[in-house]
Amino acid sequence: CGSNELYKINSVIVANVDGTDSVNIDVAVHLDGDDRFYLAKTVAVPADSTLVVIGKDSPIYLEEGDELEARASADNDADICVSYEQLDDA
């Protein structure tokens, strides 16, 4: 998040786009500084499946300097969709 910004993360959905193999995903919030908190850690997403990491009923908020991180165990095997609202934090 940039200066004077607040992001409300409404949903995070990961899709395995590989038609054959499972893929492991990590999704974390990296707070301003060195703190990292995993929302999903080494979660297997089967071939041609999706995983809802954050749903609309449990949003999270990112403040200035915070980051949302995502990793997959195989290149080009996972897509991520993030729905968010940008709020003014001034």
Side-chain angles (χ1 to χ4, degrees):
C1 285
S3 180
N4 294 323
E5 292 178 346
L6 176 71
Y7 288 125
K8 178 184 177 190
I9 308 297
N10 296 312
S11 65
V12 175
I13 302 169
V14 178
N16 182 343
V17 296
D18 186 306
T20 307
D21 298 318
S22 176
V23 65
N24 292 332
I25 59 103
D26 298 338
V27 177
V29 173
H30 189 172
L31 299 180
D32 189 20
D34 292 329
D35 295 327
R36 179 177 283 114
F37 298 95
Y38 285 94
L39 304 170
K41 178 74 172 139
T42 319
V43 176
V45 181
D48 292 333
S49 297
T50 59
L51 172 71
V52 176
V53 179
I54 296 175
K56 66 179 182 176
D57 295 332
S58 56
I60 62 170
Y61 292 85
L62 300 181
E63 298 177 340
E64 182 177 338
D66 296 347
E67 298 175 340
L68 183 66
E69 302 174 338
R71 295 183 182 90
S73 60
D75 290 341
N76 302 315
D77 275 5
D79 288 344
I80 187 167
C81 180
V82 179
S83 170
Y84 67 94
E85 298 172 50
Q86 182 177 347
L87 308 171
D88 187 4
D89 194 29

